[in-house]
Amino acid sequence: ELYGILEILERKVVQLEECRIILLTKQDLELAKALKNNEFKLYYQPQVDLKTGEIVGAEALIRWISPDKGNISPIEFIPIAENTGLIVPLGQWVLKTACTQAVDWKLAGLPPLQIAVNISAQQLEHEDFVADIIDILAQTGLDPKQLKLELTESVLVRNINLTLEKFKQLQELGIEIAIDDFGTGYASLSYIQNFLFDILKIDRCFIKDITQNHKNSAIVSAIIRLSRQLNFKVIAEGVETQLERDFLAHQGCDLIQGYLISPPLPFEQFCEFYSNRK
Ligand code: C2E
Ligand code: MG
Ligand code: MG
Ligand code: MG
């Protein structure tokens, strides 16, 4: 009787595994097709220096404009690309496009800006990651000081020694490293202890209701103070109101990014927005 049950279970496991393979392959193919057909686009969201009020940088955020399904959020397709490994060529496309466009807006007569690019753990772990970045910088002619990489805390738990080594290589080139969504991962403070960042990016969940929520305001002012003492620049993401901006300026936050300044914009609109502010 027991063997009968085991046999049924085994068959179910095989069926489930087959289902999983088919599902992954279908999504993988869709994404791969989208990459081949140029269905991705980068949007840019300005980052503003709180002391001068000037735009000093922009974060590149990927969008999938699918002809059959419309606009698909990176929150939906980045995890799929990470599962299937397609994040590596997709991430390379992002880096190359962002660096090319950062040079383009200099060519358009706009003052140089720092460009922030989001990087997934798998990309960083890829053995050619640093070499590919060096190639892209050489091909586009972008100054490495104008490139900033945003990594989330999940990157840091995977292979500490390898990550430390890659950070060092990138920073020696002049590239800045930002820790994204700070405070939402696990054991954040031990990362600060072990890794050398240039910038700490406070997650939007702490910025929300900062002026009313006593816990959030305490957390944010503590993160800003810690960053200053450890010599990190600090940026707040998801700033939506003037009250939030005032609070952050008063606490000594360096940079802000959020709907209060502008939502992420397509390249052409971003150039227009930037030149109008100048
Ligand atoms: P993130 O890097 O933390 O980016 C910030 C997200 O907050 C963006 O969502 C942005 O549009 C949104 N946002 C900005 N300001 C505000 C605001 O004032 N209020 C609110 N409610 N939201 C704001 P988006 O563009 O949907 O991107 C989501 C996430 O997808 C990003 O989070 C990042 O983790 C990932 N992602 C985006 N582009 C790339 C990419 O090229 N490569 C990789 N690996 N991940 C990416
Ligand atoms: Mg980011
Ligand atoms: Mg973030
Ligand atoms: Mg976030």
Side-chain angles (χ1 to χ4, degrees):
E1 203 181 318
L2 193 61
Y3 281 122
I5 294 169
L6 264 180
E7 216 172 281
I8 292 168
L9 279 178
E10 260 169 27
R11 257 205 314 274
K12 290 252 181 275
V13 167
V14 170
Q15 281 170 358
L16 280 174
E17 277 177 355
E18 276 171 2
C19 281
R20 199 172 128 244
I21 289 164
I22 291 164
L23 266 175
L24 279 179
T25 309
K26 188 166 171 269
Q27 291 175 317
D28 191 11
L29 276 177
E30 271 177 9
L31 268 179
K33 214 176 85 198
L35 188 61
K36 185 171 151 266
N37 294 344
N38 271 319
E39 290 172 17
F40 295 100
K41 215 176 149 146
L42 291 186
Y43 276 45
Y44 294 92
Q45 188 174 37
Q47 299 183 332
V48 163
D49 185 319
L50 272 177
K51 282 198 197 74
T52 62
E54 289 201 15
I55 299 176
V56 292
E59 178 176 8
L61 293 155
I62 195 169
R63 299 286 178 265
W64 179 4
I65 325 268
S66 159
D68 348 302
K69 293 191 208 156
N71 286 17
I72 304 167
S73 156
I75 296 167
E76 274 179 58
F77 67 82
I78 292 287
I80 298 168
E82 283 172 341
N83 266 338
T84 61
L86 206 75
I87 190 68
V88 174
L90 187 62
Q92 247 173 344
W93 176 85
V94 171
L95 269 164
K96 180 129 191 228
T97 307
C99 291
T100 306
Q101 295 190 319
V103 171
D104 283 351
W105 71 56
K106 216 160 70 183
L107 293 179
L110 298 170
L113 283 179
Q114 217 189 15
I115 184 98
V117 177
N118 292 286
I119 303 291
S120 290
Q122 263 189 63
Q123 272 180 278
L124 184 82
E125 279 167 6
H126 195 277
E127 54 177 359
D128 296 333
F129 182 70
V130 177
D132 284 346
I133 288 202
I134 293 174
D135 274 354
I136 290 172
L137 290 170
Q139 280 168 29
T140 57
L142 185 74
D143 180 349
K145 289 195 187 65
Q146 271 179 264
L147 181 61
K148 183 159 79 178
L149 304 180
E150 292 195 1
L151 300 148
T152 59
E153 289 165 350
S154 67
V155 169
L156 309 173
V157 283
R158 308 218 340 187
N159 187 338
I160 294 180
N161 285 332
L162 187 78
T163 305
L164 277 172
E165 180 53 35
K166 294 212 175 172
F167 277 17
K168 213 174 121 221
Q169 291 171 3
L170 294 164
Q171 286 167 323
E172 274 168 7
L173 291 169
I175 296 168
E176 286 194 323
I177 297 198
I179 178 160
D180 205 353
D181 302 338
F182 182 76
T184 60
Y186 305 98
S188 316
L189 293 175
S190 77
Y191 300 136
I192 290 200
Q193 184 185 35
N194 293 318
F195 293 95
L196 227 116
F197 303 105
D198 303 287
I199 301 152
L200 198 150
K201 198 162 182 183
I202 308 173
D203 194 69
R204 187 179 109 77
C205 69
F206 301 114
I207 306 299
K208 242 181 105 183
D209 308 322
I210 206 176
T211 48
Q212 272 126 58
N213 183 325
H214 172 68
K215 276 190 187 165
N216 278 3
S217 60
I219 291 169
V220 169
S221 61
I223 296 177
I224 294 171
R225 234 177 312 129
L226 182 70
S227 306
R228 303 195 78 76
Q229 286 180 355
L230 295 173
N231 264 327
F232 302 133
K233 271 188 281 180
V234 59
I235 172 162
E237 72 175 17
V239 178
E240 294 185 353
T241 68
Q242 186 63 38
L243 281 174
E244 288 166 358
R245 179 185 180 142
D246 293 343
F247 176 87
L248 290 161
H250 184 72
Q251 296 296 322
C253 185
D254 299 300
L255 303 163
I256 57 163
Q257 180 183 340
Y259 295 165
L260 177 67
I261 311 292
S262 165
L265 299 169
F267 177 68
E268 302 74 21
Q269 267 165 268
F270 177 81
C271 288
E272 220 175 275
F273 180 81
Y274 184 36
S275 62
N276 286 342
R277 292 258 305 206
K278 279 273 144 198

